[in-house]
Amino acid sequence: MIVLTTPTGQIGRQTLARLLAADAPTPVRVVVRDPDRLPGAVRDHVEVVQGSHGDPDVLDKAFAGAESVFWLVPSDPRAASVDAAYSGFARPAAEALKAHGVRHVVAVSALGRGTPMADRAGHVTATLAMDDLLAATGVGYRALTMPSFMDNLLRQTQLIKDQGLFTLPCTGSHRAPACATADIAAVAAELLLDDAWGGVEEVPVLGPEDLSYDDMALVMSDVLGRPVRFQQVPDAEFKARLTGAGMSDAMAQGLVDMARAKDAGLDNAVPRTDRTSTPTTFRQWCADVLAPAVRA
């Protein structure tokens, strides 16, 4: 049994689609708060456990008989701290993994372990601590370590459409890797369908190239056929936007700290190799994902 969390989210949805397309003999069980958000064709091919995968009772049902688990912490913008949002949410899972003898966990994580910035990188620091918590249960653990997601730019679709602009509290000139969620899902599904691995390892998912946000603006402009520019916003302004929209001070500060760490090279420490690179270029992502969203 393969158990998949966040099956309606950006990464989980695509991972689930790949598992079902593989037509593997291993059954798939999903943990979902609202089963109605699953397409009918998907519900017909999976076992559904309704509820939050932060709930011990839900996990007791979900992990019973499970061989492998896909683990992704859902966004909690109002969490009291980044540690509460990651390790706090994952502690019931750590207990359930041990109780049910789950053999493999594939988790969405982040780059940065071993860098000078790792202990002051906000959400990344909390994610790495969560990895340690889950790996300590004795499961075979694969942390998919990612840079920034290309797909996060979809949050600014309206701004790109209306003003030809996207903004972040990062410098525009710093080149770093970026990956597409479709490639993350491909790597996750491959690991979940393979039961021949063990131990604890990080699996970097770097995309095919390093780009700056200024580089990305040029690619966007070319693909969309209209000028798009990047603008760095001050940390205080960025944080005020987030808290003004209801995010807790701690979670907003965690994003600011992560941006500062990324500017200092957090995502640049892992060498790019054939194994760590994934295929989707930013240009291809813009054509396949961003352009349809902007034109919708």
Side-chain angles (χ1 to χ4, degrees), residues 176-178 205-211 269-278:
V205 182
L206 301 184
E209 59 195 337
D210 288 3
L211 294 172
V270 174
R272 182 178 298 286
T273 66
D274 289 344
R275 182 174 178 268
T276 61
S277 294
T278 46

Side-chain angles (χ1 to χ4, degrees), residues 111 117-126 254-255 257-259 261-262 266:
L111 294 167
M117 301 74 69
D119 63 348
R120 55 180 187 277
H123 290 248
V124 170
T125 304
L255 289 175
D257 293 342
M258 182 172 67
K262 285 178 179 287
L266 182 79

Side-chain angles (χ1 to χ4, degrees), residues 3 6 33 37 44 47 77 105 118 124-125 127 132 148-149 159 161 166 179-180 216 225 236 263 276 282:
V3 176
T6 66
R33 290 177 184 271
R37 293 184 61 196
D44 293 342
E47 181 182 331
V105 174
V124 170
T125 304
T127 299
D132 293 339
S148 298
F149 303 164
L159 187 62
K161 182 175 182 177
F166 67 105
C179 65
M216 289 181 175
D263 268 355
T276 61
F282 185 68

Side-chain angles (χ1 to χ4, degrees), residues 23-94:
D23 199 24
T26 307
V28 177
R29 179 185 293 153
V30 301
V31 185
V32 61
R33 290 177 184 271
D34 182 4
D36 289 340
R37 293 184 61 196
L38 293 168
V42 169
R43 288 198 301 270
D44 293 342
H45 292 90
V46 299
E47 181 182 331
V48 176
V49 174
Q50 184 172 2
S52 164
H53 55 293
D55 183 329
D57 292 333
V58 171
L59 289 172
D60 191 52
K61 296 176 186 176
F63 287 1
E67 289 285 314
S68 301
V69 170
F70 173 74
W71 180 260
L72 194 161
V73 170
S75 174
D76 184 3
R78 293 180 174 83
S81 69
V82 289
D83 182 67
Y86 291 90
S87 291
F89 184 89
R91 277 193 186 91

